[in-house]
Amino acid sequence: MGTKRILQHFHTTAEDYTIIFTSGCTAALKLVAEAFPWIPEGTKQPSSRFCYLTDSHTSVVGMRGITASMNVLSVPIKPKEIFLSEKNVLPAEEQNCMTPHLFSYPAQSNFSGTRYPLSWIQDIKSGKLCPIKIPGKWFVLLDAASYVSSSPLDLGVHQADFIPISFYKIFGFPTGLGALLVNNRIAPLLRKTYFGGGTAAAYLTGEDFYFPRKSIAERFEDGTASFLDIVALKHGFDVLEKLTGGMEKINQHTFALAHYTYTVLSTLKYANGAPVVRIYSDTDFSSPDVQGPIINFNVLDENGEVIGFSQ
């Protein structure tokens, strides 16, 4: 019942996505890094590439430690030149190469609240947009943990391959429980090396024999899942709907608060006309399509110097 309710919240079904419960978004990202079918350098096949937007969460950047045997590329925050250049678009025959590559970007920046286009998902997967011109098939990891805390995400339309989330960011409880939503088209390609309690259908201690559980979720959920917290999720989603009317209303409300706060902070001036705050944002908070309800700023003195935390 829990998995069905989660999939319903994200407007998809078990036909398209599998839910793997984790301890949080970070554990979900680590799982992707460990299980993605990377092709290392030094093989006959072209090696895999791991690319990520520079405006990514620490846990996404940390994936490059596991992918050290591949080439890693960080894409600038404003990626027009490298990311949207038509010279990077791959010919159809090169897209048929079997080498898998992974591109990760946040639906919403943890730093500034900037929202990046969900349309990139299909554009990257189809080869219309390429972070780097290289033969192979691109898969997309959408870091949605910050975005889904205050906005609806329709996976029926925006079908990313991997979506890590943390439930406490959606409704505060339970902590220590997250999930990785995996598109079923790539799920069979994921590689499992370590097997913990409950993930093996059969194994031998004296021989190198191991047969994984058939279900993708059971195969990757090592040990005992926090089943009491999983039961609590249904009640969390039910209360969320009852109290607020749904994620779109939360999206509009939180953006209205952020827009008001941004407007007021922007107009605060000292007697000499110097601004009281410096806001770090790529938008003017004009639309929830491009800006989430996060405001990152420093307080300045009348000479324009940053006032430190201790002050």
Side-chain angles (χ1 to χ4, degrees):
M1 183 65 184
T3 56
K4 183 178 180 181
R5 187 67 182 84
I6 296 167
L7 293 169
Q8 180 184 351
H9 182 77
F10 294 112
H11 304 281
T12 187
T13 67
E15 292 182 1
D16 292 323
Y17 281 92
T18 294
I19 295 174
I20 302 172
F21 286 107
T22 65
S23 63
C25 180
T26 294
L29 290 164
K30 184 171 181 283
L31 192 158
V32 175
E34 293 173 336
F36 191 80
W38 307 105
I39 304 296
E41 289 186 307
T43 62
K44 293 182 180 180
Q45 244 181 288
S47 64
S48 297
R49 296 295 193 273
F50 172 51
C51 300
Y52 59 89
L53 207 64
T54 50
D55 190 11
S56 289
H57 190 278
T58 309
S59 301
V60 171
V61 180
M63 292 172 65
R64 70 189 184 192
I66 294 178
T67 62
S69 60
M70 276 68 66
N71 287 311
V72 177
L73 173 69
S74 59
V75 178
I77 293 177
K78 297 181 179 178
K80 274 194 174 181
E81 292 182 11
I82 185 172
F83 189 57
L84 303 179
S85 173
E86 288 192 7
K87 66 182 180 182
N88 282 345
V89 177
L90 284 177
E93 62 272 14
E94 292 190 22
Q95 294 177 35
N96 293 328
C97 170
M98 295 307 293
T99 298
H101 308 297
L102 183 64
F103 181 79
S104 175
Y105 77 97
Q108 176 175 288
S109 168
N110 283 266
F111 176 79
S112 64
T114 298
R115 290 181 170 175
Y116 296 97
L118 296 177
S119 60
W120 282 1
I121 297 169
Q122 186 55 39
D123 288 343
I124 294 170
K125 288 165 64 173
S126 67
K128 182 179 178 182
L129 301 179
C130 290
I132 183 172
K133 189 173 183 180
I134 185 170
K137 190 170 186 61
W138 283 96
F139 296 91
V140 178
L141 190 165
L142 181 72
D143 180 4
S146 176
Y147 182 84
V148 299
S149 65
S150 59
S151 300
L153 176 62
D154 190 340
L155 294 181
V157 177
H158 307 291
Q159 295 193 346
D161 298 291
F162 304 100
I163 305 98
I165 58 174
S166 288
F167 292 108
Y168 81 90
K169 291 185 178 180
I170 301 176
F171 34 65
F173 176 86
T175 57
L177 182 66
L180 177 68
L181 279 70
V182 181
N183 194 308
N184 288 337
R185 76 188 188 100
I186 191 173
L189 303 179
L190 298 180
R191 298 170 179 170
K192 185 73 185 292
T193 50
Y194 173 83
F195 58 93
T199 61
Y203 69 93
L204 295 175
T205 57
E207 298 180 30
D208 186 16
F209 173 78
Y210 155 68
F211 194 77
R213 296 284 287 270
K214 185 176 181 181
S215 162
I216 294 296
E218 291 177 324
R219 189 180 301 178
F220 283 94
E221 290 174 355
D222 296 310
T224 303
S226 183
F227 53 87
L228 293 179
D229 287 334
I230 293 173
V231 171
L233 293 179
K234 177 186 181 300
H235 302 286
F237 283 116
D238 289 345
V239 171
L240 189 74
E241 290 288 333
K242 183 178 179 180
L243 292 181
T244 69
M247 294 305 298
E248 183 54 41
K249 290 187 177 180
I250 293 176
N251 182 34
Q252 295 296 330
H253 177 65
T254 54
F255 176 75
L257 294 175
H259 178 266
Y260 170 78
T261 307
Y262 171 84
T263 302
V264 174
L265 289 177
S266 300
T267 57
L268 292 177
K269 305 287 183 183
Y270 285 103
N272 65 358
V276 176
V277 300
R278 177 185 298 149
I279 299 175
Y280 303 97
S281 174
D282 293 324
T283 77
D284 59 359
F285 283 73
S286 60
S287 169
D289 292 335
V290 296
Q291 178 64 53
I294 295 175
I295 304 177
N296 201 326
F297 66 94
N298 278 123
V299 179
L300 311 176
D301 63 22
E302 57 186 8
N303 297 316
E305 298 295 326
V306 172
I307 298 177
F309 175 76
S310 60
Q311 294 171 279

